[in-house]
């Protein structure tokens, strides 16, 4: 469960989030809205990348900034633009992730193989292409069993095989009762698995509201919300 209480955040004089209250529980929530409305910023605040100017975020009852270790223990975040320490090797980064999540270190090479990056395991992060860095972040997310997954454009710049793997992984998280939040311009692949939709705009968040059972109706509702219409 993610709880957001009266959170405000802005860059300079520009307010992006204005006293947002939000409750996100188990299941897949699609976070939608027009370009530039603040979806990625909200995801960064939920992930603890950006500190709220006001208010607080709690993950499973733990304050994200006062109880960081407990709040972040079962949280994964995949940003739209990959940003990883440049000088460590890929296998060193993923081995560290294994240790932090108390997973066998052998899991590091397993996820690299799944991502098609095993041949780059000893390369430093700065030697990787932007696409490979993105795959590295997805690989890190596959380690362990997160209870909260925040995913910004998780299907961007990946091939069909990995696309299927990512969607299956998300479905698995949902079945296990995880709270999954997805921001994506590619709405249709996620609609069947989604339970909720929340719309961002004007500094506010509407929802999350439940999605109808009928596939056509739910897609139409999400598309309207993505355009900024009321969900």
């Amino acid at each position: 469960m993610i709880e957001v209480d009266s959170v405000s955040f802005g860059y300079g004089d520009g307010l992006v989030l204005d006293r947002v209250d939000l409750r996100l529980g188990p299941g897949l929530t699609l976070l939608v809205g027009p370009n530039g409305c603040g979806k990625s910023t909200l995801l960064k605040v939920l992930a603890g990348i950006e500190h709220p100017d006001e208010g607080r975020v709690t993950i499973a009852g733990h304050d994200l900034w006062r109880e960081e270790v407990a709040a972040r223990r079962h949280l994964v975040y995949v940003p739209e633009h990959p940003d990883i320490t440049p000088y460590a090797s890929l296998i060193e980064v993923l081995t560290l992730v294994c240790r932090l999540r108390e997973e066998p270190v052998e899991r590091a090479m397993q996820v690299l193989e799944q991502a098609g990056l095993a041949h780059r395991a000893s390369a430093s992060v700065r030697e990787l292409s932007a696409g490979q860095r993105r795959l590295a972040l997805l690989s890190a997310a596959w380690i362990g069993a997160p209870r909260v997954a925040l995913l910004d454009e998780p299907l961007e710049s990946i091939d069909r095989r990995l696309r299927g793997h990512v969607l299956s992984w998300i479905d698995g998280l949902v079945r296990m009762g995880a709270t999954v939040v997805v921001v994506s311009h590619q709405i249709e692949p996620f609609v069947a698995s989604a339970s909720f939709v929340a719309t961002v705009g004007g500094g506010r968040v509407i929802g999350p509201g439940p999605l109808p059972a009928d596939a056509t109706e739910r897609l139409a509702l999400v598309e309207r919300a993505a355009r900024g219409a009321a969900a």
Side-chain angles (χ1 to χ4, degrees):
M1 168 69 81
I2 305 172
E3 298 186 10
V4 177
D5 296 302
S6 299
V7 162
S8 296
F9 177 81
Y11 298 103
D13 295 330
L15 193 62
V16 181
L17 303 174
D18 185 9
R19 299 188 64 79
V20 169
D21 291 307
L22 186 61
R23 301 292 181 272
L24 297 169
L28 171 56
T29 298
L30 293 176
L31 201 59
V32 300
N35 290 340
C37 68
K39 302 184 294 295
S40 292
T41 297
L42 176 57
L43 219 58
K44 289 178 182 178
V45 171
L46 298 182
I49 305 301
E50 299 286 8
H51 193 294
D53 298 327
E54 297 178 6
R56 72 171 191 161
V57 178
T58 59
I59 307 291
H62 299 286
D63 188 292
L64 190 52
W65 289 96
R66 295 185 178 181
E67 305 169 273
E68 288 193 58
V69 174
R72 299 169 192 263
R73 186 181 305 278
H74 300 290
L75 182 153
V76 300
Y77 167 59
V78 177
E80 180 180 5
H81 303 292
D83 186 12
I84 317 173
T85 181
Y87 300 110
S89 71
L90 191 49
I91 192 64
E92 287 172 338
V93 171
L94 293 187
T95 298
L96 175 60
V97 173
C98 288
R99 289 173 175 157
L100 291 173
R101 295 184 185 158
E102 299 180 345
E103 292 286 321
V105 295
E106 294 79 11
R107 183 71 178 130
M109 186 56 75
Q110 290 173 0
V111 295
L112 287 178
E113 289 173 352
Q114 291 172 338
L117 289 175
H119 67 294
R120 302 290 281 159
S122 61
S124 66
V125 170
R126 66 177 178 169
E127 295 178 274
L128 304 178
S129 67
Q132 289 173 330
R133 293 184 192 189
R134 183 161 189 78
L135 290 176
L137 286 177
L138 282 169
S139 300
W142 297 339
I143 296 171
R147 297 176 188 170
V148 175
L150 308 172
L151 312 174
D152 198 347
E153 300 292 349
L155 300 182
E156 187 173 319
S157 303
I158 61 175
D159 62 29
R160 181 171 297 188
R161 179 186 67 83
L162 284 173
R163 177 188 178 98
H165 184 79
V166 170
L167 293 173
S168 296
W169 171 66
I170 292 172
D171 287 345
L173 292 179
V174 171
R175 287 194 299 271
M176 290 188 296
T179 298
V180 182
V181 185
V182 170
V183 171
S184 179
H185 290 97
Q186 302 178 56
I187 293 171
E188 195 163 352
F190 300 101
V191 169
S193 299
S195 300
F196 309 99
V197 61
T199 308
V200 184
R204 301 288 185 172
V205 180
I206 301 173
L211 289 170
D214 181 81
T216 302
E217 290 181 7
R218 70 167 45 210
L219 178 58
L221 188 152
V222 174
E223 288 179 338
R224 288 198 303 273
R227 295 193 298 270

